[in-house]
Amino acid sequence: MILIDNLLHYFETKDRKILITTGLQMDNADLHGVVVKILSWLRLEHKRTLWIAEGRKTCLKPLDIDMRYPWCVDLSILVENEKLFRDTFSIKDGKLDFSDAVSEEDRKMAREKVYQNHIPQKHVLYRSN
């Protein structure tokens, strides 16, 4: 999926032109926050598929969207205005999930690709001596 590749590429390069192709105005920090939320959700979704395969009682879950939070508003704007986002995701009943047009095989590949290629950095606390 092109959007998944673009999200991963954006996370590494911060090149917003690969995600925002319209005249949409969005702060770089806000765009980065949305990308982190999507990638983290997809990574967790792949972990859930692994847990399900192990027999754990869990299921795949859409990403909860609460419009009281600015990143949710930004995500909604992206899904409404950017073709790649709109073709890949949909927001229904306060939840982000893959669009109905995305096959289960593509969903699985997207989750797995993010799991393999997006390893969030842990925050390191430094002490001064």
Side-chain angles (χ1 to χ4, degrees):
M1 272 202 235
I2 294 170
L3 179 59
I4 302 307
D5 291 336
N6 288 2
L7 289 169
L8 291 166
H9 183 73
Y10 170 83
F11 188 79
E12 293 297 321
T13 66
K14 307 302 182 271
D15 180 7
R16 62 187 282 121
K17 293 180 296 228
I18 61 172
L19 294 179
I20 297 182
T21 60
T22 63
L24 185 66
Q25 297 297 314
M26 187 174 293
D27 183 81
N28 287 333
D30 295 339
L31 180 59
H32 181 76
V34 169
V35 170
V36 167
K37 292 288 187 180
I38 293 172
L39 292 175
S40 298
W41 168 66
L42 290 169
R43 186 171 167 76
L44 178 57
E45 285 292 271
H46 183 71
K47 284 183 184 180
R48 287 183 176 127
T49 63
L50 298 175
W51 296 334
I52 291 167
E54 293 173 356
R56 292 191 196 182
K57 293 182 180 181
T58 191
C59 61
L60 299 177
K61 300 174 186 175
L63 179 61
D64 286 326
I65 303 297
D66 183 339
M67 293 306 197
R68 293 179 294 178
Y69 297 100
W71 74 267
C72 295
V73 173
D74 292 335
L75 176 56
S76 178
I77 290 169
L78 285 168
V79 171
E80 289 174 18
N81 295 290
E82 291 292 335
K83 182 172 176 18
L84 282 177
F85 282 87
R86 185 173 55 249
D87 290 348
T88 307
F89 299 116
S90 66
I91 297 175
K92 295 178 190 166
D93 301 323
K95 296 178 185 308
L96 174 91
D97 207 344
F98 285 101
S99 166
D100 292 341
V102 177
S103 71
E104 187 55 44
E105 185 61 28
D106 283 344
R107 294 171 192 218
K108 180 181 176 191
M109 288 189 319
R111 292 187 287 255
E112 189 172 340
K113 184 172 211 163
V114 170
Y115 184 79
Q116 292 174 351
N117 294 290
H118 175 66
I119 300 168
Q121 295 180 350
K122 298 194 186 258
H123 297 284
V124 179
L125 298 176
Y126 294 98
R127 291 190 320 189
S128 60
N129 293 338

